[in-house]
Amino acid sequence: MMTTFSNFFLTFVLLSQATFSLSKRCHPEDERILLQIKKELNNPTLLSSWKPHTDCCNSNWDGVACSALINGRVGYLSISNDTKLTAQFPPSIGNISYLESLFIYDLPKLTGTIPESLTKLTKLQYLTIRATGVTGPVPKFTAQSRSLVNLDLSHNNLFGTLPPLLYKLPSLSGVLFNNNKLTGSIPPSYGYFDNSNLADLDLSYNNLSGKLPISLAKLDTYVVQLAYNKLEGDASMLFGSDKKTNVIDISGNRFNFDFGKVQLSKTLAILDVSHNKIYGNFPTGMENVPLLNVSYNRLCGEIPKVGYFNTFDVYSFIHNKCLCGSPLPSCK
């Protein structure tokens, strides 16, 4: 009788395991890769829910979700907000072949380089690696990455030059490389992004240098941020009355051009040109810009008493060659 019960129990266990295995959505290859990533990250507490023999597709694994289009394949991965996680960037992430969204952020002790294998993820649309300790160059994204919509590699320790072929990625709406250690000049190809898609170009707080390529006159995006680099010369090509620009921030550079000759977008809401060598007077339409900073330049003339000029304080205008009028001292 006992033998019969034991056989029954063993059969029940085997059938239960088989049923569970058949019910698991997570593809075994993706499960293997995720567990390898966990190992490469030194098995952090953050990933304690990643356990073998459980289903990564049923919201059991924190930060993991499977694709809505491809059954059983991991399409979403987020690892973030852990000041204690200490490891090199896990190279195995580049092996999750159906990945659509990858978010790695607020991991200050995550070091190493970003693997080039990420550029071979043909379905990747959203890539964020932000506020980490990763270093090395920006990966060279090629035509294989044509699905990429948003590329955020900000607040890291990346060095080297800007990748020149990004403009060939037709779906890009955001390129954020700010707060790194990038050097060299802005490639002329950056004037050839698809303006119907690109909304945000942020290269601020790096060590970029040289003159802006004239091709940037073709750039027509909502946000252009080049603040606090070592750029010089003319930046007037960034402006244009027919552009859709909302934000231009070129502060903290060495730009030197006649401000009075630029044409402002009718949609311009934030303009910061402070801490440069810009000269001349205010361009037509400046009174329609709600947020303005022209301090620490070489501007001249009387500050108009119209529109938004009546709302700005002294810090929007201080340290110019010969600006005068409220909120600065009166003109003589």
Side-chain angles (χ1 to χ4, degrees):
M1 186 72 174
M2 184 63 68
T3 303
T4 302
F5 178 79
S6 298
N7 290 339
F8 174 80
F9 181 75
L10 179 60
T11 302
F12 175 79
V13 170
L14 292 174
L15 285 173
S16 298
Q17 290 178 342
T19 302
F20 177 75
S21 178
L22 289 171
S23 67
K24 284 179 67 176
R25 289 180 55 216
C26 187
H27 194 281
E29 177 64 10
D30 287 352
E31 179 182 313
R32 184 191 66 78
I33 294 170
L34 288 172
L35 292 174
Q36 178 62 29
I37 291 169
K38 180 181 178 180
K39 182 179 179 181
E40 291 169 354
L41 291 173
N42 297 320
N43 299 304
T45 304
L46 177 68
L47 304 182
S48 60
S49 62
W50 294 18
K51 297 178 180 178
H53 312 303
T54 61
D55 192 351
C56 75
C57 285
N58 287 342
S59 302
N60 295 321
W61 294 29
D62 288 340
V64 178
C66 288
S67 172
L69 301 175
I70 307 167
N71 190 39
R73 305 312 299 250
V74 172
Y76 174 95
L77 177 60
S78 177
I79 304 172
S80 61
N81 296 304
D82 189 339
T83 58
K84 296 181 179 179
L85 186 152
T86 303
Q88 297 279 302
F89 194 97
S92 294
I93 285 183
N95 296 328
I96 308 176
S97 54
Y98 290 89
L99 199 60
E100 300 161 16
S101 301
L102 175 61
F103 299 96
I104 307 289
Y105 60 93
D106 292 340
L107 302 173
K109 296 181 181 179
L110 180 68
T111 56
T113 59
I114 300 174
E116 287 288 334
S117 57
L118 291 186
T119 66
K120 298 177 182 178
L121 296 175
T122 59
K123 300 185 183 302
L124 193 62
Q125 299 178 43
Y126 299 94
L127 175 58
T128 293
I129 301 172
R130 185 183 71 235
T132 75
V134 299
T135 186
V138 175
K140 293 180 173 60
F141 293 92
T142 64
Q144 287 181 294
S145 305
R146 62 183 297 105
S147 296
L148 202 58
V149 173
N150 193 73
L151 178 58
D152 182 354
L153 303 180
S154 61
H155 296 269
N156 294 301
N157 293 312
L158 301 178
F159 57 79
T161 57
L162 293 169
L165 299 180
L166 279 182
Y167 78 103
K168 290 189 174 183
L169 306 185
S171 301
L172 270 182
S173 67
V175 177
L176 295 90
F177 293 159
N178 52 293
N179 295 83
N180 279 288
K181 299 176 181 179
L182 300 174
T183 55
S185 58
I186 297 176
S189 61
Y190 278 38
Y192 297 94
F193 281 107
D194 186 343
N195 289 322
S196 63
N197 287 318
L198 190 68
D200 189 352
L201 177 64
D202 192 346
L203 308 177
S204 56
Y205 293 91
N206 279 287
N207 292 309
L208 301 174
S209 59
K211 296 182 178 181
L212 298 185
I214 193 63
S215 60
L216 290 188
K218 301 178 182 293
L219 190 67
D220 186 10
T221 183
Y222 291 110
V223 178
V224 180
Q225 300 189 86
L226 306 178
Y228 288 89
N229 282 285
K230 299 174 183 177
L231 300 166
E232 60 187 45
D234 189 4
S236 63
M237 77 286 289
L238 298 175
F239 298 83
S241 59
D242 296 328
K243 293 188 176 185
K244 60 189 177 187
T245 317
N246 297 141
V247 178
I248 294 179
D249 186 352
I250 58 172
S251 60
N253 282 286
R254 301 166 185 173
F255 289 123
N256 182 358
F257 60 95
D258 189 343
F259 197 40
K261 292 183 178 181
V262 304
Q263 296 183 326
L264 300 181
S265 163
K266 295 178 179 61
T267 59
L268 193 61
I270 300 174
L271 176 60
D272 191 343
V273 299
S274 63
H275 293 86
N276 280 289
K277 301 177 181 179
I278 300 169
Y279 58 89
N281 48 29
F282 291 110
T284 302
M286 182 64 75
E287 69 275 8
N288 299 319
V289 180
L291 292 174
L292 174 69
N293 191 344
V294 299
S295 61
Y296 292 88
N297 277 292
R298 300 173 180 177
L299 300 176
C300 276
E302 184 173 4
I303 298 171
K305 297 180 176 62
V306 294
Y308 285 105
F309 277 109
N310 293 316
T311 68
F312 301 136
D313 61 25
V314 65
Y315 297 104
S316 294
F317 304 106
I318 59 172
H319 291 282
N320 274 281
K321 183 178 180 182
C322 48
L323 275 186
C324 58
S326 180
L328 296 178
S330 300
C331 299
K332 296 181 180 179

